[in-house]
Amino acid sequence: GMVYDWQNSAPEDVDMWIKKVFPEDITTRAEETPDPNDSDAAVFPNPGDDWLMLWTLRDHMMFEMYDPSGRRVITKMMELSGRHRISTANLVSGSYYYRFLDASTGQVVHSGTWIRK
């Protein structure tokens, strides 16, 4: 797994850990484990400013971000897993709600709050 240190390092820095897994306990998605560090997607840095990095382990993901009034301000289709960069220069300072959806099913895979400095 991976954990980002938002406060003390560059956005590209990642701490990794390894867990021992037995064949009968193999999971394929973060929803299948109660571990709070498991996630199929991440947004960083948080808080951030003019650029936002999206990271996902899944293909065919939709990213949506909403302002405090509930208006959608960003929509990004991510056909392939990996890192994606989005400009947030047009957003004002404040808290924004975001979510990652499986584009095929519309199911929310991950959600959270991002702060624009």
Side-chain angles (χ1 to χ4, degrees), residues 2 4 11-14 44 53-56 78 80-85:
M2 292 190 284
Y4 296 94
E12 298 80 25
D13 289 347
V14 178
F44 58 95
M53 295 297 293
L54 309 177
W55 171 79
T56 178
M78 297 173 290
L80 300 175
S81 64
R83 291 184 185 196
H84 304 267
R85 186 175 175 187

CSV table of all heavy atoms in Angstrom, one decimal, residues 2 4 11-14 44 53-56 78 80-85:
chain,number,residue,atom,x,y,z
A,2,MET,N,0.2,2.4,-0.2
A,2,MET,CA,1.0,3.6,-0.2
A,2,MET,C,0.3,4.7,0.7
A,2,MET,O,-1.0,4.7,0.7
A,2,MET,CB,1.0,4.2,-1.6
A,2,MET,CG,1.9,3.3,-2.5
A,2,MET,SD,2.2,4.1,-4.1
A,2,MET,CE,0.7,3.9,-4.9
A,4,TYR,N,0.7,9.0,1.4
A,4,TYR,CA,1.3,10.3,1.1
A,4,TYR,C,1.5,11.1,2.3
A,4,TYR,O,0.6,11.2,3.1
A,4,TYR,CB,0.5,11.0,0.0
A,4,TYR,CG,0.4,10.3,-1.3
A,4,TYR,CD1,-0.7,9.4,-1.5
A,4,TYR,CD2,1.4,10.4,-2.2
A,4,TYR,CE1,-0.7,8.7,-2.7
A,4,TYR,CE2,1.4,9.7,-3.4
A,4,TYR,CZ,0.3,8.8,-3.6
A,4,TYR,OH,0.2,8.1,-4.8
A,11,PRO,N,4.7,16.3,-3.3
A,11,PRO,CA,3.6,15.5,-3.7
A,11,PRO,C,3.9,14.1,-4.3
A,11,PRO,O,3.2,13.2,-4.2
A,11,PRO,CB,2.9,16.3,-4.7
A,11,PRO,CG,3.3,17.7,-4.5
A,11,PRO,CD,4.7,17.6,-4.0
A,12,GLU,N,5.1,14.0,-4.8
A,12,GLU,CA,5.5,12.7,-5.5
A,12,GLU,C,6.1,11.7,-4.4
A,12,GLU,O,6.2,10.6,-4.7
A,12,GLU,CB,6.6,12.9,-6.5
A,12,GLU,CG,6.2,13.8,-7.7
A,12,GLU,CD,6.2,15.3,-7.3
A,12,GLU,OE1,7.0,15.7,-6.5
A,12,GLU,OE2,5.5,16.1,-8.0
A,13,ASP,N,6.3,12.2,-3.2
A,13,ASP,CA,6.9,11.3,-2.2
A,13,ASP,C,5.8,10.3,-1.6
A,13,ASP,O,4.7,10.8,-1.3
A,13,ASP,CB,7.5,12.1,-1.0
A,13,ASP,CG,8.8,12.8,-1.4
A,13,ASP,OD1,9.3,12.5,-2.5
A,13,ASP,OD2,9.2,13.7,-0.6
A,14,VAL,N,6.1,9.1,-1.5
A,14,VAL,CA,5.2,8.1,-1.1
A,14,VAL,C,5.9,7.2,-0.1
A,14,VAL,O,7.0,6.7,-0.3
A,14,VAL,CB,4.7,7.2,-2.3
A,14,VAL,CG1,3.8,6.1,-1.8
A,14,VAL,CG2,4.1,8.1,-3.3
A,44,PHE,N,-4.1,14.7,-4.0
A,44,PHE,CA,-3.0,15.4,-3.3
A,44,PHE,C,-2.4,16.5,-4.1
A,44,PHE,O,-2.6,16.5,-5.4
A,44,PHE,CB,-2.0,14.3,-2.9
A,44,PHE,CG,-1.4,13.6,-4.0
A,44,PHE,CD1,-0.2,14.0,-4.6
A,44,PHE,CD2,-2.0,12.4,-4.5
A,44,PHE,CE1,0.4,13.3,-5.6
A,44,PHE,CE2,-1.4,11.7,-5.5
A,44,PHE,CZ,-0.2,12.1,-6.1
A,53,MET,N,-3.3,16.7,-8.0
A,53,MET,CA,-2.9,15.4,-8.6
A,53,MET,C,-4.0,14.4,-8.2
A,53,MET,O,-4.4,14.3,-7.0
A,53,MET,CB,-1.6,14.9,-8.1
A,53,MET,CG,-0.4,15.8,-8.5
A,53,MET,SD,-0.2,15.8,-10.3
A,53,MET,CE,0.4,14.1,-10.6
A,54,LEU,N,-4.5,13.6,-9.1
A,54,LEU,CA,-5.4,12.5,-8.9
A,54,LEU,C,-4.6,11.2,-9.1
A,54,LEU,O,-3.9,11.1,-10.1
A,54,LEU,CB,-6.6,12.6,-9.8
A,54,LEU,CG,-7.3,13.9,-9.9
A,54,LEU,CD1,-8.4,13.8,-11.0
A,54,LEU,CD2,-7.9,14.3,-8.6
A,55,TRP,N,-4.9,10.3,-8.2
A,55,TRP,CA,-4.2,9.0,-8.4
A,55,TRP,C,-5.3,7.9,-8.2
A,55,TRP,O,-6.1,7.9,-7.3
A,55,TRP,CB,-3.1,8.9,-7.3
A,55,TRP,CG,-2.5,7.5,-7.2
A,55,TRP,CD1,-1.5,7.0,-8.0
A,55,TRP,CD2,-2.8,6.5,-6.2
A,55,TRP,NE1,-1.2,5.7,-7.6
A,55,TRP,CE2,-2.0,5.4,-6.5
A,55,TRP,CE3,-3.6,6.5,-5.1
A,55,TRP,CZ2,-2.0,4.3,-5.7
A,55,TRP,CZ3,-3.7,5.3,-4.4
A,55,TRP,CH2,-2.9,4.2,-4.7
A,56,THR,N,-5.2,6.9,-9.1
A,56,THR,CA,-6.2,5.8,-9.0
A,56,THR,C,-5.6,4.5,-9.5
A,56,THR,O,-4.7,4.5,-10.3
A,56,THR,CB,-7.5,6.1,-9.8
A,56,THR,OG1,-8.4,5.0,-9.7
A,56,THR,CG2,-7.2,6.4,-11.3
A,78,MET,N,-11.1,9.5,-16.4
A,78,MET,CA,-9.8,8.9,-16.4
A,78,MET,C,-9.9,7.5,-16.9
A,78,MET,O,-10.3,6.6,-16.2
A,78,MET,CB,-9.2,8.9,-14.9
A,78,MET,CG,-9.0,10.3,-14.4
A,78,MET,SD,-8.5,10.3,-12.7
A,78,MET,CE,-10.0,9.8,-11.9
A,80,LEU,N,-7.5,5.5,-17.9
A,80,LEU,CA,-6.4,4.6,-17.4
A,80,LEU,C,-6.1,4.9,-16.0
A,80,LEU,O,-6.2,6.1,-15.6
A,80,LEU,CB,-5.2,4.7,-18.3
A,80,LEU,CG,-5.4,4.3,-19.8
A,80,LEU,CD1,-4.1,4.6,-20.6
A,80,LEU,CD2,-5.8,2.9,-19.9
A,81,SER,N,-5.6,3.9,-15.3
A,81,SER,CA,-5.2,4.1,-13.9
A,81,SER,C,-3.9,4.9,-13.9
A,81,SER,O,-3.3,5.1,-15.0
A,81,SER,CB,-5.0,2.8,-13.2
A,81,SER,OG,-3.9,2.1,-13.8
A,82,GLY,N,-3.5,5.4,-12.8
A,82,GLY,CA,-2.3,6.2,-12.6
A,82,GLY,C,-2.5,7.5,-12.1
A,82,GLY,O,-3.5,7.8,-11.5
A,83,ARG,N,-1.6,8.5,-12.4
A,83,ARG,CA,-1.7,9.8,-12.0
A,83,ARG,C,-2.2,10.7,-13.1
A,83,ARG,O,-1.9,10.6,-14.2
A,83,ARG,CB,-0.3,10.4,-11.5
A,83,ARG,CG,0.2,9.7,-10.3
A,83,ARG,CD,1.5,10.3,-9.9
A,83,ARG,NE,2.0,9.6,-8.8
A,83,ARG,CZ,3.0,10.0,-8.0
A,83,ARG,NH1,3.5,11.2,-8.2
A,83,ARG,NH2,3.4,9.3,-7.0
A,84,HIS,N,-3.0,11.7,-12.6
A,84,HIS,CA,-3.7,12.6,-13.5
A,84,HIS,C,-3.5,14.0,-12.9
A,84,HIS,O,-3.8,14.2,-11.7
A,84,HIS,CB,-5.1,12.3,-13.8
A,84,HIS,CG,-5.3,10.9,-14.3
A,84,HIS,ND1,-5.3,10.6,-15.7
A,84,HIS,CD2,-5.4,9.7,-13.7
A,84,HIS,CE1,-5.5,9.3,-15.8
A,84,HIS,NE2,-5.6,8.8,-14.7
A,85,ARG,N,-3.2,15.0,-13.7
A,85,ARG,CA,-3.0,16.4,-13.1
A,85,ARG,C,-4.2,17.3,-13.6
A,85,ARG,O,-4.5,17.2,-14.8
A,85,ARG,CB,-1.7,16.9,-13.6
A,85,ARG,CG,-1.3,18.2,-13.0
A,85,ARG,CD,0.1,18.6,-13.5
A,85,ARG,NE,0.4,20.0,-13.0
A,85,ARG,CZ,1.4,20.6,-13.3
A,85,ARG,NH1,2.3,20.1,-14.1
A,85,ARG,NH2,1.6,21.9,-12.8
